Amino acid sequence: MTLSLQSVFYLSFGREPFTLVPGAWDPILDRITATTLMPSDDPWPPRVPLEIARTPELPPLLWVRAEGPTQLDVVAAIATVSEEARR
């Protein structure tokens, strides 16, 4: 699966330190969530990492959050998801 993001307003990527256990591999991601943030005069929902003012003039934004050994927070105006078809 490929996630392509354009007009990125925020990006944070991190990785927890990991320990290698012979024969065991942890998944890279445990959970992925996506939340649509519509234009509004209201404050941002809790934990939204943006430091800009929320206004009706902003485009709708997508907040993608991944949790696990690899952590990702990204807020973008355009998101495209592609999945490779295999035979």
Side-chain angles (χ1 to χ4, degrees):
M1 185 176 287
T2 302
L3 175 63
S4 174
L5 301 165
Q6 295 174 302
S7 299
V8 174
F9 284 73
Y10 179 87
L11 173 66
S12 172
F13 183 80
R15 185 171 174 90
E16 291 180 1
F18 66 93
T19 37
L20 229 26
V21 178
W25 293 94
D26 289 332
I28 295 173
L29 300 174
D30 294 328
R31 179 179 171 180
I32 299 175
T33 58
T35 305
T36 303
L37 304 170
M38 297 304 292
S40 173
D41 283 324
D42 296 331
W44 294 112
R47 298 182 63 187
V48 170
L50 291 174
E51 294 183 10
I52 60 173
R54 188 177 188 188
T55 68
E57 289 77 33
L58 283 173
L61 301 173
L62 184 67
W63 175 30
V64 178
R65 182 173 177 85
E67 299 172 10
T70 300
Q71 299 159 2
L72 172 73
D73 262 316
V74 62
V75 179
I78 301 170
T80 306
V81 179
S82 304
E83 185 173 356
E84 183 178 327
R86 295 184 184 208
R87 292 182 127 181

